[in-house]
Amino acid sequence: MNSNNTVACPLDCFDACEANYIDEKCKPSREHLITNGKLCVKFAQLLKEHNLKSSIYERRDIELTDALEILSNKLEQNNASKVLYYKGSGNIGVMQGAPKEFFSQYGATFVQGGICDEIGDAGLTQGRGHNVNPPLQNLIDAEVIISWGRNFSVTSPHMYAKVKEKTFITIDPIATDMAKKSDLHIQLNPKTDHELALLLTRFAYMDDMNDAESYVEYSSGAEEFEDFAKSRPLVSYESTIGVHLSQIIKFMDMIKDKKVAIMLGLGVQKYFEGAQIIRAIDSFATYIGLHNKKAGGVWYLSDASYGYESQFKTEATKSVDVTNIDFSAYELVFIQGANPVVSIPNSLNVIDGLKNTFVVYFGTTYNDTCAYANLIIPSADFLTKRDVRLSYGHENKAISYAVKQKNENCISEYELSNHLLKKFNYEILKPELEIFEYYKNTQPKLPKIKSFEFIEELEIEALYEDKEDDQYYLITGKRKNSLNSQFKIDNCAYFHSSSPFNEADELILCTDYGKAKFTVKLSDDIKENCILIHAGAKNVNYLTPNVSDEVASSAIFQDVIVSIELS
Ligand SMILES: Nc1nc2c(c(=O)[nH]1)N[C@H]1C(S)=C(S)[C@@H](COP(=O)(O)OP(=O)(O)OC[C@H]3O[C@@H](n4cnc5c(=O)[nH]c(N)nc54)[C@H](O)[C@@H]3O)O[C@H]1N2
Ligand SMILES: Nc1nc2c(c(=O)[nH]1)N[C@H]1C(S)=C(S)[C@@H](COP(=O)(O)OP(=O)(O)OC[C@H]3O[C@@H](n4cnc5c(=O)[nH]c(N)nc54)[C@H](O)[C@@H]3O)O[C@H]1N2
Ligand SMILES: [Mo]
């Protein structure tokens, strides 16, 4: 144990908060810039979790040493490429990377692509070479903040608290908490953000807001982008985006001559061509001169490990797209800190596969995926292991010391990895303290944008062209009191009250990829043509495509049209 008493919230969130462990209680840190003396409801839920305290083999409690023996025997007996290593984001401390080093030396198959921000990351990187946010101070110094496909006040409440007095614009099909707090809400149709970006560029051109001076030295393709934006009749935009032009005029008025920040979120990129969509938005941002300024800029889910050298050597020899894994094709599947039964697309495919392989679950709690696990190994919880939390929202990190004695039946990611590395006579990890100190003490410099390629054409299949009047767009996003599939889950499907359904109706929803039952809830926050089902809802991913996007091998949860099965 260490005399230092800070702990980092391990949850997958932009904020990356810090607490002090005093008298066996976590108190919000007052010194940590982002935490600023407050912790959120999700952190409180995390402290109330019933953590696993015993290993389980074929539904019977066993000793940890026996569980480790079963695991290493199985790994020895199997062909390495028939072993799949699957890591989720239940804890996003850097030490979660340790098992990767074992599984890569062993030669397991890894998962490629992702189910989170990867499509947007690829799009931003195509345009500007990296995906790193500007300094937090630029946000604090902005005058107008545009929350674009991001539920800013809900999914990063601490970052929001820093800037809540600013003028806000929200671009979202749902009247989210953030939209209600905004001076302007552009309630567009899903998957039309690229069209909106072009329309805004056209208005910016007409309003003399092209800030060529700011980008001319480091960019290419600005003229082509401008011509492209001007090439379409204004009226056609209005009908496809579903937004009146008067709102666009108001938008322009609100941002003209102002220091503007765009907070981009996952909403714009959960589609097959999501990378193109986000690039179109970033091109608009460049056109009006938001990059490399002293205030404002464009934020997304930043590459949190930019500028750090990975302390875990990982070289995957074989990998498979996360969106369409046939789990049954592997003899052993090792799942760490994830709940794929609920969180990855196409639950039917996932469950069928997991039933037909040997599943090892390594995590803190008994989640939905544990029902299909042959062997469960309890991971040490965040209060009992040393770690560093980097953030994808801002440049501040959070430090975690082991402030509590670990339960003797649990094992940390670092310990499990070294145990296996030794067992297989592989090279072991660097000392834990050395890795910890490296991440704690390294302070990478945030890069400027040194080159930018405007997007010059778009090839995007519109969802609105396929949708019939009695069908709906699927919106699936985060909820205030839960963290993905953890804590209090809401399994309902939300419709606008003008829909033909009644509160509490049970409906079967279908897509080209599957179907499932949901209970109806009515809310006028939902756009008439949309259904909202939260992330973590048990059945939502029965509806989603087991198809990857076009560039990042990643999940396209919202590239579907939903029909109602008539009984
Ligand atoms: N309370 C809470 N906070 C969280 C999480 C959580 O589960 N709960 N999860 C964390 C994680 S893992 C992540 S990755 C981040 C994600 O944080 P956000 O980026 O905020 O994620 P989402 O809620 O998925 O989507 C954001 C918004 O996009 C909107 N949207 C959907 N489709 C479209 C579209 O086509 N265009 C536009 N413009 N908007 C659209 C949705 O209505 C939603 O309000 O949040 C983190 N923070
Ligand atoms: N339909 C739909 N699906 C989505 C999304 C959506 O918006 N809509 N969002 C997607 C996004 S952005 C994300 S990031 C994913 C998240 O999906 P997952 O990566 O599956 O994450 P969680 O659902 O949070 O489950 C994480 C599990 O990690 C375990 N855990 C917690 N702490 C630790 C620890 O310290 N060590 C270990 N070994 N285990 C731990 C807990 O038991 C928990 O059940 O879901 C995606 N799925
Ligand atoms: Mo995520």
Side-chain angles (χ1 to χ4, degrees), residues 16 53 77 115 207 262 266 273 368 379 386 416 492 507:
K53 295 216 167 56
Q77 286 156 14
I115 53 175
D207 273 353
I262 300 183
L266 297 193
E273 309 90 341
D368 310 83
S379 149
R386 223 192 254 119
L416 178 85
C492 298
L507 288 185

Side-chain angles (χ1 to χ4, degrees), residues 493-531:
Y494 289 75
F495 291 78
H496 189 267
S497 56
S498 65
S499 78
F501 312 111
N502 297 312
E503 185 89 9
D505 279 357
E506 299 270 311
L507 288 185
I508 300 201
L509 305 188
C510 354
T511 66
D512 285 348
Y513 305 94
K515 58 180 173 177
K517 202 185 218 177
F518 294 87
T519 308
V520 172
K521 272 210 179 165
L522 300 177
S523 160
D524 287 346
D525 295 345
I526 316 300
K527 198 172 165 84
E528 286 87 340
N529 55 13
C530 296
I531 303 174

Side-chain angles (χ1 to χ4, degrees), residues 249-505:
I249 294 166
K250 181 159 184 210
F251 180 100
M252 286 300 162
D253 275 353
M254 285 174 71
I255 66 163
K256 191 152 194 179
D257 301 323
K258 292 284 187 314
K259 296 169 187 140
V260 177
I262 300 183
M263 308 306 279
L264 284 171
L266 297 193
V268 303
Q269 55 100 64
K270 298 179 184 185
Y271 305 105
F272 183 73
E273 309 90 341
Q276 293 186 54
I277 297 175
I278 210 162
R279 260 190 84 185
I281 299 172
D282 206 23
S283 295
F284 162 68
T286 310
Y287 186 79
I288 59 167
L290 298 195
H291 294 314
N292 295 340
K293 291 277 171 75
K294 287 213 172 72
V298 177
W299 279 255
Y300 179 58
L301 287 87
S302 186
D303 174 3
S305 61
Y306 181 90
Y308 293 89
E309 273 172 45
S310 173
Q311 298 299 293
F312 305 108
K313 283 184 252 111
T314 313
E315 265 172 51
T317 38
K318 257 185 92 178
S319 43
V320 55
D321 278 17
V322 65
T323 53
N324 196 15
I325 305 173
D326 173 8
F327 286 101
S328 69
Y330 300 90
E331 283 158 12
L332 186 149
V333 175
F334 185 95
I335 298 171
Q336 172 196 337
N339 193 7
V341 160
V342 173
S343 53
I344 66 178
N346 217 268
S347 306
L348 190 62
N349 177 44
V350 175
I351 292 170
D352 275 352
L354 291 178
K355 280 182 183 162
N356 293 303
T357 176
F358 188 88
V359 177
V360 181
Y361 182 73
F362 177 42
T364 45
T365 56
Y366 192 94
N367 65 20
D368 310 83
T369 302
C370 291
Y372 304 92
N374 303 81
L375 178 65
I376 297 176
I377 302 178
S379 149
D381 77 55
F382 76 107
L383 295 172
T384 65
K385 54 194 180 195
R386 223 192 254 119
D387 215 334
V388 176
R389 247 311 300 273
L390 308 175
S391 162
Y392 52 77
H394 51 79
E395 67 272 25
N396 301 276
K397 48 189 148 190
I399 308 298
S400 227
Y401 292 92
V403 293
K404 249 178 89 174
Q405 196 70 45
K406 190 181 62 153
N407 181 304
E408 60 187 16
N409 298 315
C410 301
I411 185 165
S412 74
E413 287 69 19
Y414 181 89
E415 290 166 332
L416 178 85
S417 313
N418 250 358
H419 170 86
L420 291 170
L421 287 163
K422 282 183 197 150
K423 194 93 193 169
F424 281 75
N425 288 322
Y426 298 155
E427 195 185 326
I428 60 165
L429 298 170
K430 288 183 193 167
E432 191 182 13
L433 192 60
E434 188 182 321
I435 298 173
F436 171 80
E437 292 287 336
Y438 169 79
Y439 284 109
K440 180 168 157 261
N441 299 327
T442 305
Q443 291 295 355
K445 200 168 168 297
L446 297 180
K448 292 246 179 221
I449 293 175
K450 293 210 185 82
S451 70
F452 189 85
E453 266 182 61
F454 282 86
I455 196 154
E456 294 171 24
E457 55 178 7
L458 292 166
E459 220 173 293
I460 298 179
E461 213 172 294
L463 269 177
Y464 53 74
E465 274 172 7
D466 296 331
K467 190 179 113 16
E468 305 289 340
D469 285 345
D470 60 350
Q471 294 179 315
Y472 297 83
Y473 300 109
L474 173 66
I475 302 289
T476 174
K478 314 303 184 192
R479 205 173 144 251
K480 187 169 182 189
N481 296 344
S482 49
L483 203 287
N484 297 321
S485 74
Q486 302 184 66
F487 318 132
K488 290 219 165 83
I489 300 305
D490 167 40
N491 291 311
C492 298
Y494 289 75
F495 291 78
H496 189 267
S497 56
S498 65
S499 78
F501 312 111
N502 297 312
E503 185 89 9
D505 279 357

